[in-house]
Amino acid sequence: MNEERFLSLFLRHERELAGVARACLPTWDAVDDVLQESSLVMWRKIDQLRADDEFLPWAKVILRFEILKYRRALSRDRLLLDDELVALIAAEEPSPAADLHAQRRSAVEHCLGEFTAEHQTLLLAPYTRDDAVKSIAAAAGKTANSLYKRLGRLRTKLHNCVRIRLGMPT
């Protein structure tokens, strides 16, 4: 298989592979890292692939092993899904829910883009560290309580924007 064909197949299935990885990994950064590492392994083992229609199952096997390797490295940091569940998720066929998830993610990303950088930082702060909002408050000379109130209002705006973007009533 040549470089062009491999790249075409990988790009065609990248979103599905990312979906499998996201179901098994804690962050999108982890998904990016594992997908990059998986693509390198796939590239090195491309001679194993015989036909285009074998690409996705073959890629999922490689991805699964890379996910497990990454999870072993993180196992001291967080509670993660057990290996059997990762295997089940990786083997699962895509569902209509996956398309809805992609639409929601796209809507959230679009709506987040409408906020200022300061508001984006505040909206994402609770998902980065446990004390992120308190740190932001201390740096800005404000109380954590006032920032949590602002965060609540921003979340409501984000929620309404996403619902409108998805064609749902607010």
Side-chain angles (χ1 to χ4, degrees):
M1 177 169 292
N2 67 24
E3 296 172 10
E4 187 176 317
R5 192 70 200 135
F6 170 79
L7 187 58
S8 173
L9 288 168
F10 183 79
L11 291 175
R12 182 184 317 152
H13 297 290
E14 185 177 18
R15 281 185 164 228
E16 185 172 348
L17 293 171
V20 169
R22 183 60 178 118
C24 302
L25 296 170
T27 66
W28 282 107
D29 288 337
V31 170
D32 291 341
D33 291 346
V34 168
L35 271 180
Q36 182 176 5
E37 200 57 40
S38 296
S39 67
L40 293 172
V41 172
M42 289 175 209
W43 181 253
R44 286 192 296 267
K45 295 183 176 196
I46 195 66
D47 294 337
Q48 295 176 351
L49 194 59
R50 299 290 173 233
D52 289 1
D53 61 340
E54 295 174 359
F55 180 83
L56 189 58
W58 174 78
K60 282 183 174 182
V61 169
I62 292 171
L63 179 64
R64 178 174 169 244
F65 283 110
E66 291 302 313
I67 289 169
L68 292 173
K69 188 166 87 174
Y70 188 89
R71 287 168 33 83
R72 276 190 293 278
L74 286 181
S75 65
R76 292 175 298 276
D77 294 340
R78 295 180 176 230
L79 294 175
L80 299 173
L81 302 175
D82 72 348
D83 293 344
E84 287 180 29
L85 186 54
V86 169
L88 286 172
I89 291 170
E92 210 173 81
E93 292 298 318
S95 67
D99 185 45
L100 179 59
H101 177 72
Q103 290 174 356
R104 287 179 177 163
R105 180 172 182 234
S106 175
V108 168
E109 288 174 352
H110 173 82
C111 290
L112 268 175
E114 293 182 359
F115 287 89
T116 65
E118 177 187 349
H119 287 168
Q120 287 178 18
T121 300
L122 183 57
L123 278 164
L124 298 174
Y127 307 103
T128 58
R129 297 189 337 253
D130 288 340
D131 65 341
V133 175
K134 291 177 185 173
S135 297
I136 292 170
K142 298 181 179 183
T143 66
N145 192 36
S146 69
L147 280 189
Y148 278 114
K149 286 179 182 178
R150 182 186 292 171
L151 178 60
R153 291 189 299 271
L154 292 172
R155 282 179 171 167
T156 299
K157 282 184 178 179
L158 179 63
H159 176 79
N160 291 339
C161 177
V162 168
R163 290 185 66 85
I164 289 168
R165 191 101 177 127
L166 294 173
M168 304 168 108
T170 54

